[in-house]
Amino acid sequence: MLHRITTSVFKAVGTPEDIASDVAEVLVDNHLAGHDSHGVLRIAQYLQWIREGRIVPHARPEVLAETTSTALIRGHMGFGQSVALAATDLATTKAKENGAAAVSVVDLGHTGRLGAFTERAARRGVVMFMTVGRGGPPMTVPYGGAEPSLGTNPVAFSLPRGPHAPVTLDYATSAIANGKLMLARAKGEPVPEGAIVDREGAPTTDPEDYFAGGHLLPFGGHKGYALAVIADLLAGPLTGADRYSGAVMETGVFIFAVASDAFRPEPDYLHAMDSVTRRITDVPAAPGFDAVLLPGEPESQTRGVRTADGIPLPAQTLAELARIATGLGLPVDELGLSAPSAGAARATTL
Amino acid sequence: MLHRITTSVFKAVGTPEDIASDVAEVLVDNHLAGHDSHGVLRIAQYLQWIREGRIVPHARPEVLAETTSTALIRGHMGFGQSVALAATDLATTKAKENGAAAVSVVDLGHTGRLGAFTERAARRGVVMFMTVGRGGPPMTVPYGGAEPSLGTNPVAFSLPRGPHAPVTLDYATSAIANGKLMLARAKGEPVPEGAIVDREGAPTTDPEDYFAGGHLLPFGGHKGYALAVIADLLAGPLTGADRYSGAVMETGVFIFAVASDAFRPEPDYLHAMDSVTRRITDVPAAPGFDAVLLPGEPESQTRGVRTADGIPLPAQTLAELARIATGLGLPVDELGLSAPSAGAARATTL
């Protein structure tokens, strides 16, 4: 349902069916994983970017250079989701054929959550690492710095686990998400130590300091800072993204992929994954926790619930979708977007 | 000097000249980088492991399987330093020939500091990622757990920077080193939040709680935990290390390498590295800091000083080396290891 709405909206602004479907697939996948901030909430922004010429909806990725183990892909300002899916699939194919592959992607739009791509590769038997550098103005201060010079520089890593959900690391290298800062501010509560600095670059736990000109810190002190820098350098200087000056992002996407059966037969790999993941999680929980979860397990639990029950959306988001669809002359009722009554607060499941 | 002493000691216990020289090269490199805990202090332990049959000093690595972009190397219980150097060089060659490579290493001894290997690759124009999983008993609790199930699971990442020192991430994924815990205990000072738990798995900042049966935490909360798990899975299930039951370590080494000119000409890459690293560090320092440093820059500063002035060693370490050399019938004076007077506290530079 949400897939059909999203596809229809993007088709209505000149996006070919297959590309619109790619974008919809990634946005819906992000909802299924519980990351609603990377879902249909973004549609309005993407439409705005299309109007401004910052996303070219009919652009298709081009392979500029290729060897058996590498590829350089230019997105020609196309949707980041669609271009990154193509890059993911090319890296997956190369890894399955040759064992290992590195793929760089430049000149593409916003990709959103990287786990959507690395988990797709893992479901096809490929271990994948992916990173995006800084897009837009800097917001994270380097370790020891007083002013920002990094982005949120996300990284993702997925390993296949056969019939089970992949193990997935997928996060921004900054310490805290904007949404959590807004929540702490609303509640008048402090944020954890080591997450933000005030406008002078001094450590603080008061969210008000952040909104008064403060900045984000990398997670985990100098260790998270190092990871943020590596992400920035892989996605920028290594990919060559800076050569494509018309691009939406100053940065690119860097992918590394290796077949999970590159060094041993697949059944042996899966058996060892089962045994080691069990060893890691099979310890008593700490006070305040129910159990030890694998990275990516909270998302796969949410995916289970939402695949069965549907994706709950706040009335406000639905109203926004209906408004967008109406503006584009789409059949709102037929899409299942009957306008909620004014002021409705209940969530609807799509 | 330190290289000659180390080589002589290992040759005296049946190590071929080239392998002894490899081990010495890595141990001296660790001192040059300022990581004295991974230097000649380890010699006594390695000699013990040789006596116990846990390191086979004359063993040479064997390439068990190979494609243009991958290799699986078996160390046959050889010195981790020497086997990992061979793996680093094979991954470097493959990356330079084909763009990207993944190399797994199994059945090898203790490798020590991973940056010694990734920086070697970077100095030859190759971007390298390397990880080792758990060796020995678990000491780090998983996020949300009350008992340890992870090792210190180190990771390293180096990117070339032409004539400049590589940018290098190189750390354990646990929050704090054992040495720092001992120091805090001796001073009666608390350790930072989020570094250790007590024996019940509850957070604490009192180092005494750690020495009373407590455990390490991963750095950076659930984010560092995820990185520790990925390191464990890459080095274990992916490499196939668990198949080699006679091995010293239950884990292996996983390497991924990409040529820095895989996606653009080398001069463009270096120019962009210069520009982006400058952008990251060229911000005012925070209160309490002199400047923003790149990851690996503290080590390269130490390397500069020690390359010029020599490696300072405490008298105790020198006495230990002299004792070992004497025990092996080596010419102590000729090696420059004149026994320091009893109780001497001053450091000597070698």
Side-chain angles (χ1 to χ4, degrees):
Chain A
M1 178 81 90
L2 210 47
H3 189 281
R4 189 163 152 245
I5 296 166
T6 308
T7 306
S8 301
V9 165
F10 287 124
K11 276 173 68 182
V13 294
T15 311
E17 170 92 31
D18 61 324
I19 295 178
S21 174
D22 277 354
V23 179
E25 181 183 327
V26 173
L27 296 187
V28 171
D29 189 72
N30 293 342
H31 281 294
L32 289 175
H35 293 283
D36 295 332
S37 57
H38 286 80
V40 295
L41 264 180
R42 303 276 178 157
I43 289 176
Q45 187 177 48
Y46 293 155
L47 293 174
Q48 176 67 20
W49 284 348
I50 290 170
R51 282 190 296 271
E52 293 171 3
R54 297 177 65 199
I55 291 179
V56 176
H58 54 79
R60 294 191 179 275
E62 178 189 5
V63 178
L64 294 183
E66 193 172 13
T67 71
T68 52
S69 61
T70 63
L72 173 60
I73 297 176
R74 181 169 188 175
H76 291 292
M77 304 176 72
F79 277 107
Q81 288 84 357
S82 180
V83 174
L85 278 184
T88 299
D89 291 350
L90 184 58
T92 299
T93 301
K94 284 183 182 292
K96 285 176 100 73
E97 281 173 3
N98 305 295
V103 171
S104 281
V105 198
V106 296
D107 192 17
L108 75 166
H110 181 250
T111 55
R113 174 180 158 267
L114 299 184
F117 309 105
T118 58
E119 291 205 332
R120 176 182 171 108
R123 284 192 288 265
R124 294 172 187 189
V126 167
V127 175
M128 186 171 281
F129 168 79
M130 192 167 178
T131 186
V132 180
R134 181 169 75 99
M139 55 182 71
T140 308
V141 300
Y143 182 76
E147 288 175 14
S149 66
L150 293 161
T152 55
N153 296 18
V155 293
F157 236 128
S158 289
L159 287 100
R161 225 162 36 114
H164 306 290
V167 177
T168 294
L169 173 165
D170 178 22
Y171 48 64
T173 50
S174 48
I176 192 167
N178 208 49
K180 287 192 182 169
L181 281 163
M182 290 193 287
L183 198 64
R185 182 194 206 181
K187 291 184 175 178
E189 288 176 356
V191 297
E193 266 186 52
I196 54 172
V197 293
D198 67 19
R199 60 188 304 164
E200 311 296 332
T204 176
T205 59
D206 183 352
E208 294 294 343
D209 288 338
Y210 174 77
F211 292 101
H215 307 290
L216 303 176
L217 280 171
F219 85 95
H222 70 282
K223 292 189 176 184
Y225 161 63
L227 192 56
V229 172
I230 297 295
D232 219 16
L233 298 178
L234 292 174
L238 183 64
T239 66
D242 50 279
R243 287 185 59 197
Y244 306 87
S245 57
V248 182
M249 300 205 296
E250 294 164 42
T251 186
V253 171
F254 173 73
I255 297 172
F256 166 64
V258 55
S260 60
D261 63 354
F263 306 109
R264 67 193 317 186
E266 185 74 7
D268 284 9
Y269 164 81
L270 291 172
H271 181 78
M273 280 293 283
D274 193 51
S275 146
V276 175
T277 53
R278 235 180 257 272
R279 185 205 80 210
I280 292 171
T281 56
D282 199 14
V283 295
F289 289 85
D290 291 331
V292 174
L293 299 181
L294 289 170
E297 205 166 348
E299 285 80 2
S300 68
Q301 289 175 350
T302 303
R303 185 182 299 275
V305 171
R306 291 188 170 187
T307 300
D309 301 345
I311 296 165
L313 285 181
Q316 194 183 351
T317 303
L318 278 176
E320 168 86 355
L321 280 180
R323 193 188 59 71
I324 289 170
T326 306
L328 293 169
L330 294 171
V332 171
D333 290 340
E334 202 180 298
L335 288 171
L337 278 174
S338 48
S341 55
R346 88 188 151 77
T348 304
T349 298
L350 282 182
Chain B
M1 179 82 90
L2 211 46
H3 188 281
R4 189 163 152 248
I5 296 165
T6 309
T7 305
S8 300
V9 165
F10 287 122
K11 276 175 68 183
V13 295
T15 312
E17 170 94 31
D18 61 323
I19 295 178
S21 176
D22 278 354
V23 178
E25 182 184 326
V26 173
L27 296 187
V28 170
D29 189 73
N30 293 342
H31 281 295
L32 289 175
H35 292 283
D36 295 331
S37 58
H38 286 81
V40 294
L41 264 181
R42 303 276 177 157
I43 290 178
Q45 188 176 50
Y46 294 155
L47 292 174
Q48 175 68 23
W49 284 348
I50 290 171
R51 282 190 296 271
E52 293 171 4
R54 298 177 65 199
I55 292 180
V56 176
H58 55 79
R60 295 191 179 275
E62 178 189 4
V63 178
L64 294 183
E66 193 172 12
T67 71
T68 52
S69 61
T70 63
L72 173 61
I73 296 175
R74 181 169 188 177
H76 291 293
M77 304 176 72
F79 276 107
Q81 287 84 358
S82 180
V83 175
L85 278 184
T88 299
D89 290 350
L90 183 58
T92 299
T93 301
K94 284 183 183 292
K96 285 177 100 73
E97 281 172 4
N98 305 296
V103 170
S104 282
V105 198
V106 296
D107 191 16
L108 75 166
H110 181 252
T111 56
R113 174 178 157 268
L114 299 184
F117 308 105
T118 58
E119 292 204 332
R120 177 182 170 108
R123 284 193 289 264
R124 294 172 185 185
V126 166
V127 175
M128 186 170 281
F129 167 78
M130 192 166 178
T131 187
V132 179
R134 180 169 74 99
M139 54 182 72
T140 308
V141 301
Y143 182 75
E147 288 175 14
S149 66
L150 293 162
T152 56
N153 296 16
V155 292
F157 236 128
S158 289
L159 288 99
R161 223 163 37 114
H164 305 291
V167 178
T168 294
L169 173 164
D170 178 20
Y171 47 64
T173 50
S174 49
I176 193 167
N178 207 48
K180 286 191 184 170
L181 281 164
M182 291 192 286
L183 198 64
R185 183 193 206 183
K187 291 184 175 177
E189 287 176 356
V191 297
E193 267 185 51
I196 53 172
V197 292
D198 67 18
R199 59 188 305 164
E200 310 296 331
T204 176
T205 60
D206 182 352
E208 293 295 345
D209 288 338
Y210 173 76
F211 292 101
H215 306 291
L216 303 176
L217 281 170
F219 86 95
H222 70 281
K223 292 189 175 184
Y225 162 62
L227 192 57
V229 172
I230 298 294
D232 219 17
L233 298 178
L234 292 174
L238 183 64
T239 66
D242 49 279
R243 286 185 60 194
Y244 306 88
S245 57
V248 184
M249 300 205 296
E250 294 165 42
T251 185
V253 172
F254 174 74
I255 296 172
F256 167 65
V258 198
S260 60
D261 64 354
F263 306 108
R264 68 192 317 185
E266 184 74 8
D268 284 8
Y269 164 80
L270 290 173
H271 181 78
M273 280 292 283
D274 193 51
S275 147
V276 174
T277 52
R278 238 180 254 272
R279 186 206 79 210
I280 291 171
T281 57
D282 199 13
V283 295
F289 288 86
D290 292 330
V292 174
L293 298 181
L294 289 170
E297 206 167 349
E299 284 80 3
S300 67
Q301 289 175 349
T302 303
R303 186 182 298 274
V305 171
R306 292 188 169 186
T307 300
D309 301 345
I311 295 164
L313 287 181
Q316 194 184 352
T317 303
L318 278 176
E320 167 86 354
L321 281 179
R323 194 188 56 73
I324 289 170
T326 304
L328 292 168
L330 294 171
V332 172
D333 289 342
E334 202 181 296
L335 288 171
L337 277 174
S338 47
S341 54
R346 84 189 156 75
T348 302
T349 298
L350 282 182

